[in-house]
Amino acid sequence: MINVIEMVNEWSAKGVEDCMSNQHDEHESSHKPPIRKEMSRRQFLTYTLGGATAFMVGGVTLPMVRFAVDPILQKKGEGAFVKVAEISKITSEPQEFSFELQQQDGWYSSTASLTAWIRKDESGNIYALSPICKHLGCTIGWNTSKDYPDQYLCPCHGAHYTKDGKQLAVASKPLDEYKVMLKDDWVYLGEVVPNTIVK
Amino acid sequence: MKFSEINKDSWGELCLYLDTCLIPVTGLNGTESPYEVVRALERLRDMMDLVEIPFKGRIVTYPSFQYGKEEIAQYINEVCHNVKRAGFAYVIVISADVNLNAVQLDNADLILTPSAFSEFPEGGKQQFTHEIIQELWQRKG
């Protein structure tokens, strides 16, 4: 009886040894270290605390960033155009028109009083020139000197321009122009852009 | 343009064109309430707009004399003299609340005060200022 038990134990031990030997061979053949799939307590705490902190910081920061950049994200609509003059009053001779434009500079809103020299060409196209001299920013006038008839003249340093705004002396660029929109018999002016009339 | 718009690098080129200095006088004496100070500054600003905007490329606005009225005329006159020594060809003194007597400021080329505008309507002030400054440049130019 004792011998039988010893034989069984011996056989079992040998079986286990063979089994482990096989597993060992398999590991060696794949050349991979054993991987522990379960998460350690330290990793769990790191991920949990890190995630919670990131969530809280993001929850505070993102609305602040969105608030700060809001003016940039606002779309510019047709509100940028201002009703200035009746189309019927526009002649081939430039006329000065004053108007007010609501300006938004970031969060600062202001009303600017502006003027434009508006005329129509031989084809009936309506143009509006900015009165700001391209030399150093003084305000030009139309036909203000006998020496420069039918020209825009700057009172500061004598820059003068043709009816289309083309520079003739002192200034290096033509007068800027306003974007023009015609609607319901009225001339609407928008933002100032570089002169497109002068070629 | 304002003195603060000009830096050291740009002044070398701009000084050839910016030959006129504008010196504002607010005329406060310290007894004003905060809102009265605001109104005084707004009155001065509105008057300065008549000069600064049309002639931005030739006139440099210097810092204001905030406190003092007629009694500081001699000091203002001295500053006008110094400004010319620094290279400006013309000096204009402007105030919305102080009637500075032209006799007291013989170093100033032009004095723009409320009394100068008293007989003009709002639109006429702009035209008058435009003409009188151009006349100054032509007279001494």
Side-chain angles (χ1 to χ4, degrees):
Chain A
M1 187 66 181
I2 292 169
N3 287 339
V4 171
I5 293 170
E6 283 177 352
M7 283 175 66
V8 169
N9 287 341
E10 193 176 325
W11 176 80
S12 299
K14 192 180 178 188
V16 171
E17 196 174 287
D18 288 345
C19 183
M20 287 180 71
S21 175
N22 286 340
Q23 283 180 351
H24 183 68
D25 289 345
E26 280 176 14
H27 284 304
E28 277 194 345
S29 63
S30 66
H31 297 288
K32 286 182 180 175
I35 299 169
R36 283 184 72 178
K37 288 187 177 176
E38 67 270 22
M39 185 183 289
S40 70
R41 178 182 296 180
R42 178 170 294 181
Q43 282 176 317
F44 174 77
L45 287 172
T46 303
Y47 293 151
T48 307
L49 289 173
T53 306
F55 179 77
M56 287 190 289
V57 170
V60 173
T61 309
L62 287 177
M64 290 166 68
V65 172
R66 176 64 181 80
F67 180 77
V69 302
D70 185 70
I72 301 170
L73 301 176
Q74 295 293 327
K75 289 182 181 176
K76 287 185 178 178
E78 287 194 357
F81 281 88
V82 179
K83 185 193 273 188
V84 175
E86 287 181 69
I87 293 176
S88 59
K89 290 184 178 174
I90 307 301
T91 63
S92 58
E93 185 81 357
Q95 294 177 84
E96 188 178 25
F97 291 90
S98 298
F99 60 101
E100 291 192 336
L101 183 66
Q102 198 67 30
Q103 292 180 323
Q104 189 74 30
D105 184 8
W107 284 104
Y108 179 67
S109 177
S110 61
T111 304
S113 296
L114 302 173
T115 58
W117 288 94
I118 308 179
R119 63 173 281 264
K120 61 181 175 185
D121 66 9
E122 295 74 18
S123 308
N125 297 318
I126 292 177
Y127 299 106
L129 293 177
S130 162
I132 306 301
C133 179
K134 295 300 284 184
H135 178 221
L136 285 173
C138 295
T139 305
I140 52 107
W142 171 255
N143 229 351
T144 54
S145 169
K146 291 174 185 171
D147 297 332
Y148 304 104
D150 293 336
Q151 288 181 18
Y152 294 104
L153 177 67
C154 175
C156 291
H157 304 104
H160 49 117
Y161 306 82
T162 65
K163 196 181 276 189
D164 294 334
K166 180 180 171 56
Q167 77 279 15
L168 298 173
V170 183
S172 59
K173 291 179 182 174
L175 293 172
D176 288 334
E177 62 178 310
Y178 289 95
K179 280 187 175 176
V180 174
M181 181 175 74
L182 305 178
K183 187 180 173 185
D184 301 332
D185 297 329
W186 282 85
V187 177
Y188 289 75
L189 299 185
E191 62 180 323
V192 174
V193 294
N195 194 307
T196 58
I197 316 160
V198 177
K199 299 196 169 68
Chain B
M1 60 184 70
K2 305 282 190 193
F3 68 94
S4 54
E5 294 178 57
I6 303 167
N7 59 41
K8 187 181 176 183
D9 296 332
S10 61
W11 180 239
E13 186 186 353
L14 288 175
C15 68
L16 301 172
Y17 303 104
L18 296 163
D19 63 355
T20 307
C21 180
L22 181 69
I23 298 179
V25 180
T26 311
L28 303 174
N29 60 20
T31 61
E32 300 85 359
S33 305
Y35 71 92
E36 289 173 324
V37 175
V38 171
R39 282 185 191 166
L41 290 170
E42 285 175 347
R43 281 194 298 274
L44 181 61
R45 178 205 59 196
D46 291 344
M47 207 160 152
M48 286 166 63
D49 280 350
L50 298 173
V51 179
E52 285 185 303
I53 295 172
F55 304 111
K56 185 186 176 186
R58 191 163 173 178
I59 294 178
V60 184
T61 304
Y62 264 36
S64 311
F65 285 93
Q66 301 285 16
Y67 289 94
K69 294 197 174 189
E70 288 81 358
E71 71 275 11
I72 61 166
Q74 191 180 347
Y75 184 42
I76 296 170
N77 198 37
E78 194 179 319
V79 170
C80 292
H81 175 66
N82 292 341
V83 161
K84 283 188 173 178
R85 279 179 56 203
F88 284 99
Y90 311 98
V91 178
I92 301 172
V93 178
I94 189 167
S95 178
D97 292 331
V98 185
N99 271 315
L100 294 162
N101 189 328
V103 178
Q104 295 173 299
L105 299 175
D106 47 6
N107 287 319
D109 296 289
L110 181 63
I111 299 168
L112 293 171
T113 58
S115 60
F117 294 108
S118 57
E119 58 192 73
F120 295 98
E122 199 56 41
K125 289 179 184 176
Q126 177 70 72
Q127 184 65 26
F128 169 74
T129 311
H130 204 273
E131 286 173 4
I132 201 168
I133 290 176
Q134 284 205 289
E135 191 183 301
L136 166 71
W137 286 336
Q138 285 164 7
R139 189 174 67 223
K140 294 187 78 175

